[in-house]
Amino acid sequence: MPRRPHIHWRVLMTLADPIDRTLAPEAGALAALVEGRHGDPFSLLGRHMVDGTPVVRTFQPGAAAVEARVGPAGITVQLAKIHPAGLFAGRLPEGAGPYLLRITWPDGTVEETEDPYAFGPLLGDLDLYLIAEGTHLDLSETLGAHVVRVGDVEGVRFALWAPNARRVSVVGDFNLWDGRRHPMRLRQSGVWEIFLPGVRAGARYKFELLGPDGTLLPLKADPLARAAELPPATASIVSSPAPFHWSDAAWMAGRAGRQGPEAPISIYEVHPGSWIRIEADGHRSPNWDELADRLLPYVQRMGFTHVEFLPIMEHPFGGSWGYQPLGLFAPTARFGPPEAFARFVDRCHAAGIGVILDWVPAHFPNDAHGLGHFDGTALYEHADPREGFHPDWNTLIYNFGRREVSGFLIASALEWLRRFHVDGLRVDAVASMLYRDYSRKPGEWVPNIHGGRENLEAVAFLQRLNAMVAEQAPGAIVIAEESTAWPGVTAPVSEGGLGFSFKWNMGWMHDTLRYIEHDSIHRRHHHDDITFGLVYAFSERFILPISHDEVVHGKGSLLARMPGDDWQRMANLRAYLGLMWGHPGKKLLFMGCEIAQPDEWNHDGVVPWHLLEQPAHAGIQKLVADLNATYADLPALHARDATPDGFSWIIGDDSANSVFAFFRHAPGAPPVLVVANMTPVPREAYRIGVPDGGPWREAVNTDAAAYAGSGVGNGGTLEAEAIESHGLPFSLSLTLPPLATLFLTPRQG
């Protein structure tokens, strides 16, 4: 094929004074365009037929001159400035094909680019229909900012849902943050879109909106942004289109078995910004790679099966710990770019560790750049503050009954589970979603259609969320933080339940902490704080949480809540942790509790790792590691966590001695006897019935010397005697250490 000859730029036509007024739009439309009020810029800008000939118009405020380069021959048309604000126009040759704009700026800089208004609609009708229906499961691939190629032109497609806005523009570094330059096209369903040639990944952007009354709103961050600036900056960032190369196929295929009701699940709850600090670099928080280097070996060594992070979705105020998020599709920039978080998850899976994220659909902050009053109306929230405002947190409440909002939230959940391979989500503050009168006085809330207090729209949202997760992210789990007795939180949606995988057992947490805070001499009067939880322990699939909420806001650390002198406080904590690991339910422990941190958690501080130089603190850490190992090794401690056949009381009424004893069971596995003495008095020859004769071993003794305890116990092994007790044919004559919990199981082989 012969080479095409080089074509020099040449001017085909120059518009001379007087200006050809037929090139200008109607006066009202022209004024609206240059003033940034026009809601349909594509009807004026780009190529249009005027008097039978093609005319191109472009709005370039501040440009000195603009030319249109037409077709492969490089023919150019000098465009006339038909409005002093910067509107240029000119007639193209008959049959002219694609064109480029050649813009000369006052400093002599020349920019050559495709015209954004030369491109037709980009989103398909099906996408728009699904957005309106609230069922678009790939919403983050449709709305937001995406590097795409249209024909042979690369750029970024921006799309935003703002149905009540009069005009929407994308603004950023690429257009001097001038909302007049790139107003968007309104499609059906209230979606606005535009393709900007030449914009690249990494570009900062926001949206400028005129409300329905023509009011210019504060610049808004992209609700679907996949990346954002480091706070306190608030711009969205065009994320890289490069796919992440995962190496966790085997993990993903087998994770359902690792986190089902019969699996040993022990969760280490972490605030990534304060688990460690990089002292050599100004005491800063770690990035994801640095955290992986330190956290993953630690979690493995400690025997936790999962890490659960306080919300890492982008949030403006660090003091909210992530619980007031605005970027529900973007990992916070505080710890690195999105691909770094993906790399962290991949490394977790390679290490055999699951990843759970706290996720917050219950409320969102009212920052000016966020979702509140987004298009000049209550779009994401309710207009009535009795439904749309949270008095506890001074935040706004999502309108779960609006299809597009429900779809937005479900798409966010799926983003983390599918795009980032996260293994589970813990839904924060579910109780505040379920009740319309949550934390409200009479007259401050709106009843449902039946006159009741239940938020029926939130119920439907949660049911749909859990159904979609089960369908779209096989093996993933969803955990409810639900603090009331709402029935069927973990029951299947098909049976009228909410469909969660697990529920935090807040009642167990409150009751047992209340018990342990009493001085041991008074515990006999509060015996039922321990026993009551077993009345409902199998009504749901529970996780026993000692979370961040229990070590902040004046509550003190877990250690600080223990009574007695220094030794007794440590012993109480060891006994409490032993009782927790023996009790039915999966486990969750907040960072620092495993080393008996003496002070409240401070998100600006760091876990006081230096305490491990002291034997008492190191002993608590070793105990937690051993509890995790024993919990995983003995099926009786985990396989029947959620069913009543996994538990039986043997002694639940010895309030005088504050002693508790129960069995844990699993089919085909030896039972585990759990005994707790919650007083500082050792008890000799305390007889407890067991089903089997022969040797029984102490699998755990929280008073062992290895844990900095007193070393009182049963020598590691003792024989069950053929003496009937508690209705069983054999019994053990036990020495119960002071303030201690024992795990005993028949010795095998």
Side-chain angles (χ1 to χ4, degrees):
M1 177 181 295
R3 289 186 62 189
R4 176 175 297 170
H6 180 68
I7 304 297
H8 293 280
W9 281 82
R10 58 193 178 88
V11 176
L12 176 71
M13 156 185 342
T14 301
L15 293 171
D17 289 329
I19 293 174
D20 182 353
R21 298 299 177 184
T22 63
L23 298 176
E26 178 270 327
L30 176 60
L33 180 69
V34 299
E35 293 169 10
R37 296 183 288 104
H38 204 288
D40 186 14
F42 281 83
S43 66
L44 304 179
L45 300 177
R47 187 205 308 257
H48 295 276
M49 297 301 293
V50 177
D51 297 334
T53 61
V55 169
V56 64
R57 301 190 191 100
T58 182
F59 188 43
Q60 303 293 341
V66 181
E67 298 169 328
R69 180 182 178 183
V70 183
I75 298 171
T76 65
V77 174
Q78 182 175 322
L79 306 186
K81 182 183 283 190
I82 62 174
H83 192 283
L87 183 63
F88 294 80
R91 296 186 186 275
L92 302 182
E94 292 289 343
Y99 63 93
L100 297 175
L101 298 175
R102 193 169 191 266
I103 308 165
T104 302
W105 299 102
D107 63 359
T109 302
V110 176
E111 173 189 359
E112 187 173 303
T113 180
E114 291 83 1
D115 184 357
Y117 297 93
F119 294 88
L122 301 175
L123 298 180
D125 288 341
L126 179 58
D127 283 323
L128 299 173
Y129 173 79
L130 294 176
I131 291 169
E133 195 179 51
T135 57
H136 203 309
L137 301 182
D138 295 312
L139 194 66
S140 63
E141 298 288 347
T142 304
L143 298 180
H146 297 276
V147 176
V148 297
R149 183 175 291 273
V150 180
D152 60 353
V153 179
E154 188 172 278
V156 174
R157 184 195 71 215
F158 296 91
L160 179 75
W161 177 61
N164 302 304
R166 182 177 292 185
R167 186 264 294 168
V168 177
S169 298
V170 60
V171 296
D173 294 329
F174 42 80
N175 63 11
L176 304 179
W177 299 86
D178 185 345
R180 300 172 300 164
R181 294 175 184 270
H182 291 127
M184 303 167 75
R185 170 189 277 123
L186 177 61
R187 305 290 306 281
Q188 64 195 62
S189 308
V191 172
W192 301 77
E193 64 167 19
I194 195 170
F195 173 69
L196 296 188
V199 179
R200 300 287 183 260
R204 300 185 309 150
Y205 72 99
K206 284 186 177 181
F207 294 105
E208 182 181 279
L209 296 85
L210 289 185
D213 61 356
T215 299
L216 183 65
L217 303 176
L219 293 183
K220 294 289 188 177
D222 183 358
L224 275 293
R226 284 178 158 176
E229 283 189 291
L230 180 66
T234 57
S236 302
I237 293 177
V238 178
S239 63
S240 169
F244 184 79
H245 298 291
W246 294 92
S247 61
D248 63 348
W251 169 276
M252 296 295 284
R255 70 177 177 180
R258 293 174 176 261
Q259 45 192 32
E262 297 184 356
I265 297 177
S266 183
I267 303 166
Y268 188 51
E269 189 188 29
V270 174
H271 177 257
S274 59
W275 188 76
I276 59 168
R277 296 279 179 176
I278 309 303
E279 299 296 343
D281 193 9
H283 195 66
R284 65 170 172 83
S285 294
N287 61 39
W288 286 117
D289 293 315
E290 292 165 336
L291 193 64
D293 291 341
R294 294 276 298 275
L295 178 63
L296 301 191
Y298 181 77
V299 171
Q300 284 182 307
R301 187 167 67 252
M302 291 297 295
F304 288 101
T305 62
H306 291 70
V307 291
E308 178 177 322
F309 288 116
L310 277 62
I312 63 160
M313 299 78 194
E314 194 57 84
H315 50 283
F317 176 46
S320 78
W321 315 328
Y323 288 99
Q324 294 188 13
L326 282 179
L328 289 187
F329 294 77
T332 178
R334 291 169 174 86
F335 311 119
E339 56 268 25
F341 175 64
R343 191 162 56 243
F344 176 88
V345 175
D346 204 43
R347 289 181 64 180
C348 282
H349 291 171
I353 299 166
V355 179
I356 300 169
L357 300 182
D358 281 12
W359 181 68
V360 188
H363 61 120
F364 61 94
N366 55 12
D367 295 67
H369 70 283
L371 301 176
H373 208 62
F374 189 81
D375 64 357
T377 68
L379 187 63
Y380 286 89
E381 72 273 29
H382 293 271
D384 188 335
R386 294 176 299 168
E387 298 180 278
F389 181 76
H390 249 312
D392 283 356
W393 301 307
N394 193 34
T395 52
L396 302 174
I397 301 172
Y398 288 105
N399 182 352
F400 302 111
R402 182 157 193 169
R403 295 190 302 270
E404 299 95 335
V405 174
S406 172
F408 166 79
L409 292 170
I410 289 173
S412 166
L414 296 178
E415 178 86 351
W416 301 100
L417 297 172
R418 297 189 303 185
R419 183 179 180 220
F420 289 107
H421 289 202
V422 165
D423 302 292
L425 299 174
R426 189 209 68 138
V427 182
D428 180 66
V430 169
S432 76
M433 301 168 65
L434 292 174
Y435 300 97
R436 288 175 164 267
D437 64 344
Y438 183 87
S439 196
R440 296 179 187 273
K441 299 175 183 177
E444 296 180 348
W445 57 282
V446 179
N448 63 32
I449 58 173
H450 305 299
R453 59 195 289 255
E454 299 81 7
N455 190 327
L456 304 179
E457 294 81 8
V459 170
F461 161 72
L462 293 170
Q463 290 175 324
R464 183 169 165 240
L465 165 71
N466 288 313
M468 287 296 99
V469 169
E471 175 186 296
Q472 297 291 319
I477 58 175
V478 188
I479 302 164
E481 185 212 19
E482 200 285 303
S483 56
T484 74
W486 185 279
V489 172
T490 59
V493 173
S494 60
E495 298 176 8
L498 296 182
F500 283 95
S501 309
F502 296 98
K503 171 183 171 174
W504 275 18
N505 193 336
M506 309 293 281
W508 170 89
M509 179 266 296
H510 286 300
D511 290 350
T512 59
L513 286 178
R514 183 172 61 237
Y515 176 87
I516 202 71
E517 289 172 2
H518 289 294
D519 190 277
S520 58
I521 198 171
H522 300 300
R523 286 176 179 164
R524 66 180 63 194
H525 305 298
H526 304 279
H527 203 70
D528 60 348
D529 279 342
I530 299 296
T531 60
F532 179 69
L534 275 305
V535 173
Y536 60 86
F538 311 106
S539 61
E540 304 278 5
R541 294 187 294 275
F542 281 121
I543 291 173
L544 310 182
I546 297 297
S547 76
H548 65 281
D549 277 332
E550 304 317 308
V551 294
V552 291
H553 299 321
K555 296 178 182 177
S557 69
L558 193 58
L559 177 64
R561 299 168 80 156
M562 304 296 150
D565 58 24
D566 288 347
W567 187 92
Q568 287 191 7
R569 290 168 62 217
M570 287 290 187
N572 270 305
L573 179 55
R574 292 192 301 267
Y576 180 79
L577 292 171
L579 192 59
M580 173 181 175
W581 257 256
H583 193 285
K586 312 308 180 186
K587 322 301 176 189
L588 179 141
L589 191 66
F590 184 59
M591 66 181 199
C593 293
E594 83 279 12
I595 66 167
Q597 178 171 329
D599 299 319
E600 275 196 349
W601 169 57
N602 175 8
H603 69 274
D604 289 324
V606 67
V607 175
W609 297 111
H610 65 277
L611 292 176
L612 293 175
E613 298 170 3
Q614 302 176 27
H617 292 276
I620 298 285
Q621 185 190 51
K622 178 173 171 51
L623 171 64
V624 172
D626 288 351
L627 286 170
N628 276 331
T630 305
Y631 172 66
D633 288 344
L634 299 179
L637 289 175
H638 62 256
R640 288 293 184 266
D641 268 331
T643 55
D645 61 338
F647 175 91
S648 61
W649 278 112
I650 190 73
I651 299 173
D653 57 357
D654 189 1
S655 59
N657 293 309
S658 296
V659 170
F660 306 88
F662 53 84
F663 280 109
R664 299 298 310 280
H665 308 280
V672 175
L673 173 63
V674 179
V675 186
N677 173 19
M678 303 307 286
T679 71
V681 180
R683 306 201 181 277
E684 303 288 344
Y686 195 99
R687 187 167 297 278
I688 298 179
V690 293
D692 302 305
W696 283 64
R697 68 180 179 93
E698 273 185 346
V700 171
N701 175 355
T702 68
D703 191 48
Y707 308 136
S710 64
V712 174
N714 298 276
T717 305
L718 68 164
E719 289 284 327
E721 302 173 276
I723 298 175
E724 183 177 348
S725 183
H726 300 102
L728 296 172
F730 302 93
S731 60
L732 298 171
S733 179
L734 294 171
T735 296
L736 304 186
L739 294 172
T741 299
L742 305 176
F743 291 2
L744 301 108
T745 189
R747 171 171 283 177
Q748 301 297 297

